[in-house]
């Protein structure tokens, strides 16, 4: 019987037929990396007033965004002209804004924040930012990059200055992933297909298909995260 994280994570046949696979009382950078390599991700859930469990998820129906299936509407293209897109220029602020406890459905706690900040320092987690012309952060996203996998974790926009700013960041991310080559084998994981993400082209695939595609994506060359876009061009213009 599987008894360790490593044994459980590497044995999908033992996973229940539900999105939540197992829970733990702790989380670390090493365990988190192991989880992503085997198709899981962490998200805490708990009762109010009590320390939440750290749950490890592998949705039965996984949300992914095909790189050749991104839908950029005319209004989004128009919005994109108002923002500059950068990479890793303001990771701490993007993480903080995504973790704002005032957000509906907020789930990023201090444990999650510490782990992803550590993984950012290791060069595994990256942020994509959208800026106004006068230099204000209007929106952004962050996620885990491993080979040909980018696992999107969270995104935000400033409701006063950032209409569509998180979408513009997503367009910028897709452009960078496509530029890395073999876009048909790369995997942009969005966890669950929400109505919002569906408008951008997100689809659902079965867990088994996701795991097969993950194994094919991981050996690919990483995107070039070392040359951040500092306003040289705008997302959606390529």
């Amino acid at each position: 019987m599987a008894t360790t994280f490593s044994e459980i994570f590497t044995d999908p046949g033992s996973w229940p037929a539900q999105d939540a696979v197992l829970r733990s009382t702790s989380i670390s950078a090493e365990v988190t990396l192991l989880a992503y390599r085997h198709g899981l991700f962490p998200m805490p859930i708990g009762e109010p007033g009590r320390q939440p469990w750290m749950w490890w998820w592998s949705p039965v129906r996984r949300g992914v965004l095909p790189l050749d299936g991104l839908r950029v509407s005319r209004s989004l293209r128009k919005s994109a002209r108002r923002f500059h897109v950068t990479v890793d220029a303001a990771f701490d602020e993007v993480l903080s804004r995504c973790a704002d406890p005032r957000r509906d459905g907020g789930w990023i706690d201090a444990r999650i924040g510490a782990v992803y900040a550590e993984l950012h320092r290791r060069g595994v987690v990256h942020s994509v930012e959208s800026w106004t012309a006068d230099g204000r952060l209007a929106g952004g996203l962050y996620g885990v990059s491993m080979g040909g996998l980018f696992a999107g974790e969270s995104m935000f926009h400033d409701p006063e200055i950032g209409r569509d700013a998180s979408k513009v960041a997503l367009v910028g991310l897709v452009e960078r992933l496509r530029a890395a080559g073999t876009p048909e084998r790369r995997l942009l994981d969005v966890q669950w297909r929400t109505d919002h993400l569906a408008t951008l082209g997100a689809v659902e695939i079965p867990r088994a298909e996701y795991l097969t595609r993950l194994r094919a994506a991981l050996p690919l060359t990483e995107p070039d995260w070392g040359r951040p876009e500092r306003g040289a061009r705008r997302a959606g213009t390529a």
Side-chain angles (χ1 to χ4, degrees):
M1 179 179 294
T3 57
T4 67
F5 276 118
S6 180
E7 290 173 319
I8 293 172
F9 287 176
T10 58
D11 182 18
S14 69
W15 297 354
Q18 61 186 37
D19 291 357
V21 172
L22 75 155
R23 65 182 184 178
S24 64
T25 56
S26 63
I27 182 175
S28 70
E30 288 70 24
V31 169
T32 301
L33 290 176
L34 179 67
Y36 278 102
R37 287 192 177 279
H38 293 93
L40 299 103
F41 59 87
M43 182 178 293
I45 293 182
E47 299 177 11
R50 300 182 63 181
Q51 177 78 353
W53 287 98
M54 189 61 64
W55 284 90
W56 301 87
W57 304 79
S58 181
V60 174
R61 302 289 299 178
R62 191 70 163 244
V64 299
L65 180 57
L67 297 185
D68 60 357
L70 177 67
R71 298 173 187 162
V72 183
S73 66
R74 181 178 301 177
S75 62
L76 180 53
R77 289 188 184 279
K78 182 177 180 180
S79 293
R81 300 188 188 105
R82 299 189 292 114
F83 301 110
H84 296 297
V85 174
T86 59
V87 171
D88 289 336
F91 174 80
D92 290 342
E93 188 171 356
V94 170
L95 178 62
S96 176
R97 297 289 291 273
C98 287
D100 188 336
R102 295 171 296 181
R103 297 182 68 188
D104 290 339
W107 57 272
I108 301 172
D109 63 13
R111 297 170 299 168
I112 288 284
V115 164
Y116 286 89
E118 170 62 23
L119 292 177
H120 174 66
R121 289 189 289 271
R122 297 187 189 186
V124 179
V125 167
H126 299 277
S127 61
V128 182
E129 305 90 12
S130 296
W131 303 86
T132 63
D134 59 355
R136 291 178 292 170
L137 182 62
L141 60 86
Y142 76 93
V144 175
S145 178
M146 289 182 166
L149 166 71
F150 189 90
E153 282 300 306
S154 188
M155 58 200 309
F156 86 95
H157 73 278
D158 186 310
E160 295 185 3
I161 63 171
R163 180 181 177 183
D164 287 341
S166 59
K167 295 180 183 179
V168 173
L170 181 62
V171 172
L173 170 65
V174 170
E175 289 177 354
R176 186 166 291 259
L177 298 181
R178 288 184 59 84
T182 58
E184 69 282 356
R185 291 180 58 196
R186 294 185 180 272
L187 191 56
L188 176 47
D189 174 12
V190 297
Q191 300 177 345
W192 286 282
R193 175 187 177 274
T194 64
D195 291 343
H196 169 69
L197 290 172
T199 65
L200 296 168
V203 298
E204 287 184 338
I205 60 176
R207 176 190 283 169
E209 180 180 346
Y210 176 84
L211 296 177
T212 297
R213 292 182 59 182
L214 175 63
R215 288 190 292 270
L218 286 174
L220 297 179
T221 302
E222 285 266 337
D224 181 3
W225 300 108
R227 293 197 305 248
E229 300 167 29
R230 304 280 180 178
R233 66 183 178 84
R234 301 175 190 270
T237 61

